[in-house]
Amino acid sequence: MPKTFDRPWMLPAALAGGLLVGAAVGWLAGGHVATGVALVAIVEIVLLLTRIRHQTRHMMTHSPTAHSLQHDRFMTRSRRIASSLRDLRSAAGSLPDAVVLLDYEQHVRWFNHAAEDLLGLRRPQDRGAHLDERLSTTELATWLKEGAREPLNDVAAPGLPNRHINVTLLPFGRRQRLLLARDISHLTRLEQIRRDFVANVSHELRTPLTVIHGYLELIDPEDVPELAPVLNEMRAQSKRMGQIVEDLLTLSRLETQDHVQDERVQMTPLLATIRKEAEALSQGRHQISVESTAEMDLLGSIKDLHSALSNLVSNAVRYTPTGGRITIRWRRTPEGAVYSVTDTGYGIPASHLARLTERFYRVSSSRSRESGGTGLGLSIVKHVLNLHQARLDIQSEPGHGSTFSCWFSNERLLAPGSTDPE
């Protein structure tokens, strides 16, 4: 029999040390201390069971006349291991996150108390049950059948429909998997409070800003030449504040939508309109061209798609120096079609690309203020594309310009002249 834990204190110390290591790893991986402890606890349970099985086999190979002292030592260790096993199971069972141990075919082998609340699993009838069949009426079942390659975020908890959870499926042990579900209801409530606050404040600001801007327009700078610079600056800033409020209201509307009213979006006239708007904003400072080879229309919201696609072009105009080139492309791909805007502007460092669609995020605050941007345009683009099951891709290099691409799937494409789907 192995001599690794001959002294009574060594096994509990090793188990406790393993739990501390799991907590540290979980904290370093994003603050998930409980998840790290759970994973280590389950591994230790498996190892303890394996050790007990080996020790039992070892005892059975000895003759019936084996020394009684060795038998007593074995029984003492077995009781100690059984006690540690109960403690580990109790700790894993008390975790606030749902933990479900699955075999290779996704049969339930074990689950803790949180899984009963969040996922609606029940003892003993759900032990050995196929998980996606047990959750057949929920989004989790579809996610599991599709392979669960990516975490599933913000879905209703099967056991508590008024709660929201994030779910992850991890490989574990030999051909086993570990399903973790975390309750994020408090985060969802905070996000809803933020949305309501932004929408309410934006509505309240719209009226006073309109009044202020209206009175400023009534004052002719020629009547008070000494105040002309001040009045012009006040007009510009009140107009910019009004645009920020309108963009915030647009974002609030998009965030509360889960679908759009589909209609045919004719791309040829839309591209022509976007080009005219870009030329008016550029005032001859840039070379603006359109390359359309897709010969396809889009299915979606005309208003929202116009807002998103024109926003990318107006950004290119604002951040491209005088004399630069801006190219608008609409072309087919094997997966669908892509709308892209390429400029010869300043370019964006790679460290900023992942955060460009955040509200009010700016690569250069001074340059954004000079150009008149609100810092909300790319957030609007991202939400519009999400509603159309499309995605935004950004390629940029400092000093060599940028390309912003909107990728649409084949399901969103319509041949010109074809009948619109109902």
Side-chain angles (χ1 to χ4, degrees):
M1 187 172 58
K3 302 296 181 181
T4 308
F5 300 111
D6 281 348
R7 298 185 181 180
W9 57 268
M10 294 181 68
L11 179 60
L15 295 174
L19 294 176
L20 291 175
V21 170
V25 172
W27 180 79
L28 292 174
H32 306 313
V33 175
T35 301
V37 172
L39 293 175
V40 172
I42 292 172
V43 171
E44 290 182 347
I45 290 172
V46 173
L47 293 176
L48 287 171
L49 289 173
T50 303
R51 179 180 176 84
I52 291 174
R53 183 169 65 250
H54 287 326
Q55 288 181 337
T56 302
R57 290 177 179 173
H58 182 78
M59 286 296 300
M60 293 177 65
T61 60
H62 282 65
S63 65
T65 59
H67 199 278
S68 61
L69 179 59
Q70 185 176 4
H71 179 268
D72 292 342
R73 290 179 62 187
F74 170 76
M75 295 303 298
T76 300
R77 288 180 182 176
S78 297
R79 286 192 292 269
R80 190 179 301 120
I81 292 174
S83 176
S84 299
L85 180 60
R86 286 193 298 270
D87 292 342
L88 289 172
R89 291 188 59 139
S90 176
S94 301
L95 288 172
D97 296 341
V99 181
V100 183
L101 183 61
L102 306 170
D103 64 16
Y104 182 72
E105 296 180 348
Q106 295 188 1
H107 291 101
V108 177
R109 296 190 59 187
W110 177 87
F111 54 90
N112 66 352
H113 296 299
E116 298 183 65
D117 296 332
L118 294 178
L119 303 180
L121 300 179
R122 294 292 177 264
R123 291 185 176 88
Q125 56 267 34
D126 286 335
R127 286 180 176 170
H130 208 282
L131 187 60
D132 62 2
E133 294 178 359
R134 177 63 181 79
L135 305 175
S136 58
T137 59
T138 68
E139 293 181 60
L140 286 176
T142 304
W143 176 69
L144 288 168
K145 289 178 180 177
E146 293 176 352
R149 296 178 181 84
E150 298 292 333
L152 186 62
N153 297 318
D154 198 5
V155 295
L160 299 169
N162 60 329
R163 300 282 188 91
H164 292 260
I165 58 176
N166 284 350
V167 190
T168 305
L169 189 65
L170 303 173
F172 169 73
R174 299 180 61 184
R175 304 185 69 186
Q176 299 181 83
R177 295 181 180 182
L178 197 66
L179 185 140
L180 304 176
R182 170 165 294 180
D183 188 349
I184 59 166
S185 301
H186 62 293
L187 297 177
T188 304
R189 286 194 294 271
L190 289 175
E191 180 65 16
Q192 187 59 49
I193 291 172
R194 180 193 66 78
R195 292 176 182 174
D196 294 341
F197 173 78
V198 170
N200 292 335
V201 169
S202 301
H203 277 292
E204 294 299 325
L205 287 176
R206 174 187 270 177
T207 299
L209 282 174
T210 302
V211 172
I212 292 171
H213 189 70
Y215 278 118
L216 287 173
E217 290 294 330
L218 292 175
I219 303 175
D220 191 345
E222 294 182 358
D223 295 337
V224 279
E226 66 277 9
L227 294 179
V230 176
L231 289 172
N232 290 332
E233 180 65 18
M234 292 174 67
R235 285 180 177 179
Q237 293 301 324
S238 66
K239 183 178 180 180
R240 181 169 178 269
M241 290 179 66
Q243 187 59 54
I244 291 176
V245 169
E246 293 300 322
D247 285 351
L248 283 172
L249 289 172
T250 299
L251 264 179
S252 297
R253 174 179 62 82
L254 292 172
E255 287 179 336
T256 56
Q257 288 183 235
D258 55 8
H259 69 281
V260 293
Q261 188 67 36
D262 288 334
E263 53 188 325
R264 176 182 289 275
V265 181
Q266 297 183 352
M267 290 302 293
T268 298
L270 178 58
L271 292 173
T273 300
I274 291 174
R275 179 176 183 171
K276 289 180 181 178
E277 293 172 351
E279 289 174 341
L281 181 62
S282 172
Q283 297 182 346
R285 294 182 294 111
H286 308 91
Q287 301 176 25
I288 301 174
S289 60
V290 175
E291 299 176 5
S292 179
T293 59
E295 297 183 355
M296 298 294 288
D297 292 336
L298 278 174
L299 182 65
S301 167
I302 294 177
K303 177 182 176 182
D304 291 337
L305 285 173
H306 181 197
S307 173
L309 303 185
S310 64
N311 194 288
L312 296 178
V313 180
S314 62
N315 279 350
V317 172
R318 290 190 179 98
Y319 299 112
T320 300
T322 300
R325 297 187 309 277
I326 298 170
T327 304
I328 306 167
R329 294 185 177 90
W330 174 238
R331 57 185 177 84
R332 286 297 304 269
T333 67
E335 297 80 18
V338 59
Y339 168 90
S340 62
V341 179
T342 302
D343 62 58
T344 57
Y346 304 106
I348 306 167
S351 59
H352 295 280
L353 295 180
R355 301 189 59 190
L356 285 181
T357 57
E358 294 180 10
R359 295 180 179 213
F360 299 111
Y361 185 82
R362 302 178 186 276
V363 177
S364 173
S365 299
S366 59
R367 188 178 296 163
S368 297
R369 284 194 295 269
E370 292 172 2
S371 66
T374 64
L376 296 168
L378 290 179
S379 294
I380 293 175
V381 171
K382 181 187 72 172
H383 282 85
V384 169
L385 293 181
N386 286 342
L387 289 172
H388 290 80
Q389 297 79 50
R391 62 182 176 88
L392 177 66
D393 179 69
I394 305 173
Q395 301 292 329
S396 186
E397 185 178 348
H400 294 83
S402 307
T403 297
F404 290 76
S405 303
C406 305
W407 296 80
F408 296 92
S409 64
N410 283 310
E411 289 75 15
R412 283 284 170 183
L413 300 183
L414 296 173
S418 64
T419 303
D420 295 359
E422 296 183 2

